[in-house]
Amino acid sequence: MVRPMAENSAIAVTTAPGGLSDTQVPSLKGQAAQIRQHLLPWLGPLLLLVAWQLAATFGGLAPHILPAPSRVALAAVKLARTGELMSDLGISLLRAAIGFAIGGAVGFSLGILVGFSRIAETLLDRTVQMLRAIPFLAALPLVIVWLGIGEGAKIFLVALGVSFPIYINTVLGIRQVDPKLLELAQVRGLSPLQTIRRIVLPGALPSVLTGIRYALATAWLALVVAETIAASSGIGFLAMDAREFLRTDVIVLAIVIYAAIGVTADAIARLLERRLLAWHPNYGGEARP
Amino acid sequence: MSGADTRPAVLIEGLARSYGSRTVIRGLHLRMERGEFVALIGESGCGKTTLLRAIAGLDRIDGGRIVTSGRPAVVFQEHRLLPWDSLWRNVALGLPGPNARTLAETALR
């Protein structure tokens, strides 16, 4: 799509009369370059997809090893028609959202507490750091013993994974607030509550948002594991159920959906950063490449 | 401005401040009247900033007392702005009352 456009503009320049075309050339060329800049990175994935499709169709790539992209797409359409896809997707998203909300609230509250109070830090931080040293997925068997294989276990696992990155980055954010600005608050006679609202929280926000981005990735990972090991619904269940019947197209579809949601979540987090941290030279819309 | 108020703007008696074993200020007496201009001159490290920070209430003091009438206004050496807030909110920081914005915008004009 890009090349022909550039060539057309070149032709237009040679046939157009006089100086008017001269001013058009750079803008058109610039536009073409911009489009190329946006589209060219997609060339690699696209080629890979085409190669995969060709290998599946003509190259003898067995469908039960890796089904063609077209078959994965077909599986998506079929599952969407029956409503299975949407309901499983909905359940997975709901689990992630609830787990994220609970884990985020716990991590953020603890982070605030420890960030502000040295006593709370002395009492709590060591414990939290030790718990953090446990790979939270290793707790899965224990979680199943405690909560069974119902919704509780999945939500708990997501919440567990989410709370640590949010906690750490909230504490860090609060501790990194410029002490000069805290002196400013003191001199201006701000109450403790005003100081927190006007200075500490906005100052800690970049770090907190970083924590949220990490937590989103962790939440997703936790959900994949929980749903793969024990579930009767959700995207992970879709994949495990398909495994029973060697439906590799559905398995690949589930993987693709997990990936797509992960990318979307990160994009949302980045958008949040851009919107909330517009004042920050490192995050402001234009400053970022 | 009642005019009747003759209390000094700043009154310092026997101020002492030390960092560890190093005494920076000892037995300082200072009285600043209202409307008076006082220039504090001295070589680097003699305690000018220490004194100002003590008056502003930013540092503890180790002896003596500082009496100020009302809350002293302090202008820092370098700017201290909240980068996440708008200009008027920075100017109005700490101003009580609902007309803080009007006050700030009037001051900016």
Side-chain angles (χ1 to χ4, degrees):
Chain A
M1 284 310 288
V2 179
R3 280 273 163 67
M5 258 188 78
E7 274 161 19
N8 280 347
S9 72
I11 292 163
V13 170
T14 49
T15 50
L20 208 139
S21 62
D22 282 355
T23 55
Q24 278 178 335
V25 179
S27 78
L28 272 173
K29 264 190 181 161
Q31 242 176 358
Q34 214 176 14
I35 294 169
R36 201 158 41 226
Q37 197 70 34
H38 281 293
L39 291 185
L40 224 48
W42 291 101
L43 193 65
L46 196 71
L47 282 177
L48 217 60
L49 206 65
V50 170
W52 175 11
Q53 178 73 49
L54 288 178
T57 317
F58 306 109
L61 182 62
H64 65 272
I65 301 292
L66 196 62
S70 59
R71 287 197 44 182
V72 176
L74 208 65
V77 172
K78 271 186 191 161
L79 284 170
R81 280 232 179 96
T82 61
E84 259 178 282
L85 189 62
M86 282 307 136
S87 79
D88 277 325
L89 184 61
I91 285 168
S92 286
L93 286 175
L94 193 66
R95 283 174 186 149
I98 295 174
F100 192 92
I102 295 173
V106 170
F108 189 64
S109 315
L110 280 178
I112 295 262
L113 200 66
V114 169
F116 281 114
S117 153
R118 293 281 167 187
I119 301 167
E121 185 184 17
T122 315
L123 287 175
L124 287 174
D125 194 54
R126 178 69 49 83
T127 316
V128 177
Q129 297 295 347
M130 284 175 82
L131 286 176
R132 194 174 73 89
I134 305 169
F136 72 97
L137 292 176
L140 183 63
L142 199 59
V143 172
I144 291 177
V145 169
W146 287 346
L147 298 168
I149 56 168
E151 292 305 303
K154 293 169 195 67
I155 290 168
F156 181 85
L157 207 65
V158 172
L160 190 67
V162 162
S163 54
F164 292 118
I166 302 246
Y167 166 81
I168 289 167
N169 284 287
T170 303
V171 176
L172 196 72
I174 291 170
R175 290 289 155 81
Q176 278 176 343
V177 169
D178 191 348
K180 288 178 177 169
L181 294 181
L182 295 176
E183 282 185 349
L184 174 71
Q186 210 178 333
V187 163
R188 299 297 296 136
L190 262 59
S191 70
L193 213 67
Q194 280 175 313
T195 307
I196 291 170
R197 203 169 53 80
R198 293 292 303 276
I199 292 173
V200 178
L201 289 184
L205 196 59
S207 185
V208 173
L209 284 173
T210 303
I212 288 179
R213 268 181 84 179
Y214 273 110
L216 279 173
T218 320
W220 216 226
L221 187 68
L223 195 70
V224 171
V225 172
E227 285 190 341
T228 304
I229 287 177
S232 53
S233 57
I235 298 295
F237 165 75
L238 200 68
M240 292 319 282
D241 194 44
R243 191 205 55 178
E244 301 268 323
F245 302 100
L246 275 178
R247 288 289 304 273
T248 41
D249 52 346
V250 177
I251 297 177
V252 173
L253 175 66
I255 295 170
V256 169
I257 290 174
Y258 273 139
I261 294 175
V263 170
T264 310
D266 197 59
I268 292 171
R270 277 217 309 246
L271 188 76
L272 252 140
E273 275 183 351
R274 265 209 298 276
R275 291 291 294 275
L276 294 175
L277 305 179
W279 53 269
H280 199 296
N282 292 352
Y283 293 96
E286 269 102 79
R288 217 177 197 193
Chain B
M1 291 279 157
S2 58
D5 195 351
T6 53
R7 286 179 303 158
V10 177
L11 180 68
I12 299 171
E13 286 172 346
L15 179 70
R17 176 76 169 99
S18 49
Y19 296 96
S21 60
R22 206 174 100 85
T23 303
V24 179
I25 297 175
R26 188 179 49 215
L28 179 92
H29 294 267
L30 179 65
R31 188 188 163 95
M32 285 186 230
E33 302 300 339
R34 284 162 180 269
E36 192 184 8
F37 254 105
V38 177
L40 198 60
I41 300 169
E43 57 190 72
S44 291
C46 76
K48 302 184 296 292
T49 306
T50 303
L51 175 62
L52 288 175
R53 288 180 62 85
I55 295 173
L58 293 173
D59 276 347
R60 64 182 172 85
I61 56 177
D62 299 316
R65 64 186 193 120
I66 300 173
V67 183
T68 56
S69 61
R71 199 175 70 207
V74 175
V75 177
F76 292 102
Q77 218 155 1
E78 346 79 76
H79 72 79
R80 294 193 182 181
L81 296 168
L82 308 177
W84 47 81
D85 262 347
S86 62
L87 180 58
W88 80 263
R89 284 175 66 84
N90 261 291
V91 173
L93 185 69
L95 284 183
N99 60 342
R101 176 166 195 168
T102 324
L103 280 172
E105 280 174 350
T106 313
L108 283 168
R109 218 160 268 140

